[in-house]
């Protein structure tokens, strides 16, 4: 399953690279001011098993981060615990390819770090356009963010 995903990802990158041709858009923080503000936790709810939900209110939006208890083992966890802590549901059949794939996903779990939330104080608005992108017919937008999004 992982090999298939890797091959698909590689092919998509190749197609994207070839389809963009020579278009070259780059985004940079022109000001050089990358200051971040740490956000304090607004509340913690603890479950009987020791797991916790950390709540942060960021710009009026409630964000919750579920952290399983120390020693949590998703293979031995109940279906309710898997759902509570954001793990993929266990397949009904305890054998076969689907179950093997699930075990591969959750079997190496070693823990969830406690949330450490920061926000950028200055919004990302400065995009540098190079001379090669001004005359390009490709539709490419590139924005720099220190927030990894997958």
């Amino acid at each position: 399953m992982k090999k298939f995903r890797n091959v698909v990802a590689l092919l998509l990158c190749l197609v994207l690279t070839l389809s963009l041709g020579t278009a070259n858009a780059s985004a940079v923080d022109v000001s050089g001011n990358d200051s971040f503000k740490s956000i304090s936790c607004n509340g913690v709810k603890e479950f009987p098993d020791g797991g916790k939900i950390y709540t942060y209110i960021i710009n009026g939006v409630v964000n919750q981060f579920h952290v399983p208890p120390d020693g949590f083992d998703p293979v031995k966890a109940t279906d309710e615990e898997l759902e509570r802590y954001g793990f993929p549901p266990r397949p009904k059949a305890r054998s076969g390819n689907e179950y093997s794939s699930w075990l591969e996903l959750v079997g190496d779990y070693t823990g969830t770090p406690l949330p450490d939330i920061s926000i950028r104080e200055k919004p990302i608005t400065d995009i540098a356009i190079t001379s090669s992108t001004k005359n390009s017919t490709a539709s490419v937008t590139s924005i720099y963010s220190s927030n990894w999004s997958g």
Side-chain angles (χ1 to χ4, degrees), residues 117-136:
I117 310 300
S118 297
I119 61 171
R120 189 164 192 225
E121 291 185 319
K122 180 182 177 222
I124 300 173
T125 57
D126 300 325
I127 299 177
I129 304 297
T130 64
S131 59
S132 64
T133 59
K134 287 181 182 176
N135 301 323
S136 174

Side-chain angles (χ1 to χ4, degrees), residues 55-78:
T55 302
Y56 293 80
I57 300 175
I58 305 170
N59 296 329
V61 178
V62 175
N63 298 269
Q64 293 187 320
F65 301 91
H66 297 240
V67 178
D70 289 338
F72 182 77
D73 183 355
V75 176
K76 295 178 183 175
T78 66

